Amino acid sequence: MPQGIEYCPVSMGAEAIGDRWTLLLVRELLLGSRRFNDIHRGLPGISRTLLSGRLRRLCAGGLIARELDAEGRPEYRLTPAGAALEPLVWQLGDWARRWCFGEPQREQFDTALALWRLRQYVRRDRLPARRVIVEFIIRDAVDELAWLVLAPEETSACHRHPGYDTDIWVTIEPAELHRLVAGASTIDAAIHSGKCCVAGDPELVAEFPRWFAWRTVTAAASERKAR
């Protein structure tokens, strides 16, 4: 036991987690990121040097493992000990949404990060058999465009036109996009309020909300009851 740490599971757990970057890094791995650049993209504010240090620390602590893929490129995966932190990660988010989560501020708007996070929520098993292009029109003083390319074998988020015809158009206010991704709003509520409009192929539009594992307090509670 590290010197100065009392014999208490809460104290020992806090020592093992270390700081906020640990849980956020675990969150990225839970959401499917495996490579260094993907993990870094999902952690705004952390330097590459600091991320490298945290990855080494968590490997040494037995929470994550560094492996090589078939092409010899490094990947990171949660160990059983790291994966066991999943309930803590999502319950912390649920608690924050209930007690200390306010409206997104303009300086927090980051369309690239929001679309990247939405890409992480994609349920590939629910996607159509063919590729679907979703164009996002971020409705602000100057409209911003972004795209999700959704396919069962691969998904991506981009700010440059992907070169394929658009199947679905999502027009949404920037604050509502961030509420939606953060689980502070639901897609049904966003559409009902007029802050989000989904248009395009009627069959695809009807299925669109079911392509994502939305992380809301209600959804998280339902997942825990189902386990």
Side-chain angles (χ1 to χ4, degrees):
M1 182 171 64
Q3 186 175 4
I5 303 300
E6 64 176 310
Y7 185 69
C8 165
V10 175
S11 180
M12 291 291 290
E15 174 67 16
I17 291 173
D19 61 19
R20 76 185 188 100
W21 291 119
T22 297
L23 285 183
L24 293 179
L25 203 156
V26 170
R27 177 199 64 189
E28 290 308 301
L29 293 173
L30 288 171
L31 289 173
S33 293
R34 294 287 178 268
R35 302 194 186 283
F36 184 93
N37 286 341
D38 288 342
I39 296 170
H40 185 254
R41 184 172 180 178
L43 295 174
I46 191 171
S47 69
R48 297 178 70 87
T49 300
L50 182 56
L51 176 56
S52 294
R54 286 299 185 273
L55 287 169
R56 287 195 298 270
R57 172 179 173 174
L58 294 182
C59 284
L63 295 182
I64 66 175
R66 184 181 184 273
E67 304 171 348
L68 298 179
D69 66 11
E71 299 178 3
R73 296 175 299 182
E75 290 186 335
Y76 297 91
R77 297 184 182 276
L78 292 169
T79 64
L85 287 170
E86 181 173 7
L88 176 61
V89 171
W90 302 137
Q91 287 171 22
L92 178 62
D94 293 345
W95 174 83
R97 276 188 286 265
R98 286 192 175 103
W99 299 106
C100 59
F101 204 60
E103 291 297 307
Q105 303 302 305
R106 179 164 291 275
E107 59 269 21
Q108 295 175 306
F109 292 175
D110 187 334
T111 300
L113 179 61
L115 266 291
W116 175 255
R117 190 73 68 219
L118 194 57
R119 167 204 166 274
Q120 291 177 311
Y121 293 171
V122 171
R123 294 285 305 272
R124 294 187 186 179
D125 58 320
R126 297 185 180 182
L127 293 176
R130 68 175 181 85
R131 179 178 54 233
V132 177
I133 308 301
V134 184
E135 180 174 322
F136 284 79
I137 304 166
I138 313 303
R139 190 167 55 203
D140 207 345
V142 178
D143 288 349
E144 184 179 359
L145 301 180
W147 291 265
L148 283 181
V149 180
L150 307 179
E153 66 277 4
E154 185 178 5
T155 61
S156 61
C158 52
H159 263 63
R160 292 184 178 181
H161 197 287
Y164 304 107
D165 291 338
T166 297
D167 299 291
I168 296 176
W169 289 264
V170 178
T171 304
I172 189 168
E173 297 177 4
E176 192 64 14
L177 173 63
H178 286 75
R179 291 189 201 100
L180 191 62
V181 171
S185 180
T186 67
I187 185 67
D188 290 337
I191 292 172
H192 182 73
S193 68
K195 296 176 181 177
C196 176
C197 177
V198 183
D201 182 302
E203 292 185 5
L204 295 178
V205 168
E207 291 294 322
F208 175 76
R210 290 185 279 274
W211 296 344
F212 303 90
W214 306 105
R215 293 225 63 87
T216 63
V217 173
T218 301
S222 299
E223 285 181 13
R224 288 195 293 271
K225 287 180 181 179
R227 290 174 182 170

